[in-house]
Amino acid sequence: MLDTFTFKIYVPSMHKYVRFGQFYNRHYKTILKYIQNNDDSGVSSYIDWLIDHLSSEDIINNINRVDKFIIILNLYIICVESHLNITLKCESTGKDFQYKVDLVDILDKITNIDVTEKKTINIDKTFIVVLGFPTKLHYKEVDDLVVDCVHNIKTRDRSFNINKFDNKHKKRLINELPATFLTNVYEYITDKSNKFHNVPFLTIRSPFDSNVESSNYTFSLVDNTFLHFIKSIFGESLKEVYDMYYLCISKLNIEPNFLETQMTVGESMILLKKYEHELSKQVEQQNTSPATNNNDVNMPLNVPYTGLDL
């Protein structure tokens, strides 16, 4: 990864920074395809692949779902944009209003929540189970979440990281444990989930009605809210992405493969805004200059890649 730009992202459960490569247009487009196909499992699996592919270290089997959320949010902020403008409706007046979501603020709030605390359960004198934060971004059933919280099993002389096991083998192993074990798991999940319930990541109030209380939005460990938020920031339609591709290729003469594999969404939008600005200036100059026989707007045939790293 030394031949490309990398940046550091803090991974809370590992207590350290890890270097990541850039999140390019092709990655962005692939996530949109999964989202618009209503494939939550596909989105989750692709995010795992993306983290594993862009990371300078082999960390995918050692991080939890909060780490993954933080990594993806960092990638989005650095390679796409740091704010989102969303349209909401005032419940009392029915009027729409714009709200600017600060993704950096959300990132700070989530990063400061402790996600490293584990719980040790002694099954007997020689058999210990270690619980930790769930690792996946998407669960179809609560049982899958419970299974995913079991991170390590220790015997008298050995320790097994069962995050590397597939779900089928983990379930088979856990079914052999005493029934009281599940009570301990539910208590652990509830306790850790309360940490997120107590920290609203968004507080929104309608500007049209001062009597309405603010709405607080929180994350939870017991549902798929982390994944749902990720999907919400990738709110662009595929048509908009293909429109951007068309302009970059046809108007800026950027080579398609380079656009896909070497440019971020943020870089693409900077060049398009530059093109739009120059086009507007030329149109304005034509409108204010004496009439000529040539009414064409002359734009440069090639706009070079600027190398801007957002």
Side-chain angles (χ1 to χ4, degrees):
M1 201 179 289
L2 293 178
D3 63 340
T4 187
F5 173 69
T6 62
F7 45 87
K8 294 179 180 180
I9 293 177
Y10 184 70
V11 183
S13 71
M14 300 180 70
H15 298 291
K16 71 173 188 176
Y17 286 90
V18 176
R19 283 197 170 272
F20 284 84
Q22 294 187 98
F23 174 71
Y24 292 122
N25 281 316
R26 68 185 179 95
H27 303 134
Y28 185 88
K29 185 176 68 174
T30 301
I31 290 180
L32 284 187
K33 286 183 175 181
Y34 278 117
I35 291 173
Q36 294 184 27
N37 199 40
N38 294 316
D39 186 353
D40 286 355
S41 179
V43 176
S44 177
S45 296
Y46 184 72
I47 286 174
D48 281 358
W49 176 87
L50 191 62
I51 291 172
D52 191 37
H53 179 71
L54 297 181
S55 173
S56 61
E57 301 180 28
D58 184 13
I59 64 171
I60 195 63
N61 291 318
N62 299 311
I63 59 177
N64 59 50
R65 72 186 326 197
V66 181
D67 294 323
K68 293 176 182 179
F69 175 82
I70 287 171
I71 291 169
I72 288 297
L73 196 54
N74 267 287
L75 289 171
Y76 189 94
I77 289 169
I78 294 171
C79 299
V80 184
E81 60 182 341
S82 61
H83 292 82
L84 290 179
N85 291 311
I86 58 175
T87 302
L88 301 171
K89 187 180 290 293
C90 176
E91 293 183 2
S92 60
T93 66
K95 295 180 180 179
D96 290 340
F97 64 95
Q98 293 292 314
Y99 185 83
K100 191 173 186 179
V101 179
D102 185 348
L103 298 179
V104 176
D105 181 61
I106 294 174
L107 180 63
D108 287 342
K109 289 176 180 176
I110 301 303
T111 303
N112 286 326
I113 297 176
D114 181 18
V115 295
T116 61
E117 188 178 347
K118 297 182 181 294
K119 181 175 182 178
T120 300
I121 301 173
N122 296 303
I123 304 299
D124 57 38
K125 292 182 179 180
T126 61
F127 197 87
I128 297 172
V129 177
V130 179
L131 303 180
F133 274 69
T135 63
K136 296 178 182 178
L137 283 168
H138 176 255
Y139 299 100
K140 293 182 179 178
E141 301 174 354
V142 176
D143 287 350
D144 294 330
L145 171 65
V146 171
V147 169
D148 201 33
C149 285
V150 180
H151 286 195
N152 294 88
I153 291 180
K154 298 179 181 180
T155 60
R156 179 170 296 174
D157 54 358
R158 298 187 67 183
S159 178
F160 303 91
N161 179 3
I162 68 171
N163 283 335
K164 298 180 180 180
F165 294 8
D166 61 38
N167 206 49
K168 181 179 178 181
H169 285 88
K170 288 178 76 172
K171 281 186 175 181
R172 185 184 304 167
L173 182 62
I174 291 170
N175 285 337
E176 300 296 322
L177 299 176
T180 54
F181 168 75
L182 290 179
T183 302
N184 285 286
V185 177
Y186 284 122
E187 289 176 351
Y188 172 82
I189 294 173
T190 301
D191 178 57
K192 302 312 165 207
S193 191
N194 285 338
K195 290 187 175 185
F196 295 92
H197 282 304
N198 295 332
V199 182
F201 68 89
L202 269 183
T203 300
I204 300 175
R205 186 172 185 174
S206 169
F208 300 120
D209 191 345
S210 59
N211 296 320
V212 176
E213 293 185 1
S214 300
S215 297
N216 292 323
Y217 297 86
T218 61
F219 290 112
S220 172
L221 284 184
V222 296
D223 57 27
N224 293 316
T225 48
F226 283 104
L227 181 64
H228 292 161
F229 185 81
I230 291 172
K231 289 169 59 180
S232 72
I233 66 176
F234 287 88
E236 195 173 14
S237 70
L238 275 171
K239 180 183 180 302
E240 291 173 301
V241 172
Y242 287 123
D243 285 344
M244 181 266 287
Y245 270 47
Y246 171 76
L247 290 172
C248 285
I249 294 168
S250 66
K251 303 301 181 183
L252 304 183
N253 287 336
I254 297 174
E255 195 273 324
N257 185 62
F258 186 85
L259 176 66
E260 277 250 293
T261 63
Q262 299 297 317
M263 291 183 66
T264 67
V265 174
E267 290 169 340
S268 304
M269 295 312 297
I270 285 176
L271 293 184
L272 286 177
K273 287 178 181 178
K274 178 72 172 176
Y275 169 79
E276 181 182 7
H277 176 70
E278 291 182 357
L279 187 62
S280 297
K281 281 183 65 177
Q282 289 197 17
V283 170
E284 184 180 344
Q285 288 172 359
Q286 279 197 337
N287 289 336
T288 56
S289 11
T292 63
N293 291 327
N294 181 12
N295 294 321
D296 292 333
V297 176
N298 296 316
M299 287 300 296
L301 292 178
N302 290 286
V303 177
Y305 171 53
T306 63
L308 291 172
D309 287 312
L310 302 182

